[in-house]
Amino acid sequence: MTGKQLTIVSINGPYRDEGVFTMIRLAHAAKEKGITVNFFNYLDATIIAHRDQAPKEFPPVETIFGIMVKKGIKQPKADAIACIKCTDARGVTKQQTEGVLIGGLYDLGEWTAESDKTILIG
């Protein structure tokens, strides 16, 4: 691994509190400093990347999150995985935004081992 790496584990749904927006701001600041960012969406956080959200009183989180993930192709990278068990349980496995991979806790374990820091937002 070259450079620093941050893994962000999110567990709450997108409109419960400001957690998702904090996560995105943190990831943006990390990328500005040249840090690679990994997002692991777990439990209700798998709704964050659900396509076609139409909240009435909030900006659609999937759009904001999707932009961060799509920009991840450039250095420093930003990768995203949604937990397969969690997406299946919520019926959103096939509705994840472009760039979000479906994976499992094994992937989180690998990222945690490779990362300089791992934080939990939730």
Side-chain angles (χ1 to χ4, degrees), residues 41-106:
N41 293 343
Y42 191 59
L43 302 172
D44 285 343
T46 56
I47 305 298
I48 291 169
H50 183 272
R51 287 191 308 265
D52 302 323
Q53 293 177 20
K56 295 182 188 220
E57 298 183 28
F58 302 97
V61 169
E62 178 269 336
T63 303
I64 300 165
F65 183 74
I67 289 168
M68 175 68 69
V69 172
K70 289 171 193 162
K71 286 182 180 177
I73 297 168
K74 301 175 185 171
Q75 292 297 330
K77 290 181 63 182
D79 290 317
I81 293 177
C83 173
I84 183 70
K85 297 277 186 187
C86 303
T87 58
D88 280 353
R90 289 155 183 84
V92 297
T93 301
K94 294 183 178 169
Q95 289 83 22
Q96 296 294 297
T97 197
E98 180 185 346
V100 175
L101 303 176
I102 300 298
L105 290 174
Y106 183 80

Side-chain angles (χ1 to χ4, degrees), residues 18 20-30 68:
E18 290 291 316
V20 174
F21 297 104
T22 299
M23 173 187 76
I24 292 168
R25 286 191 295 272
L26 174 66
H28 180 72
M68 175 68 69

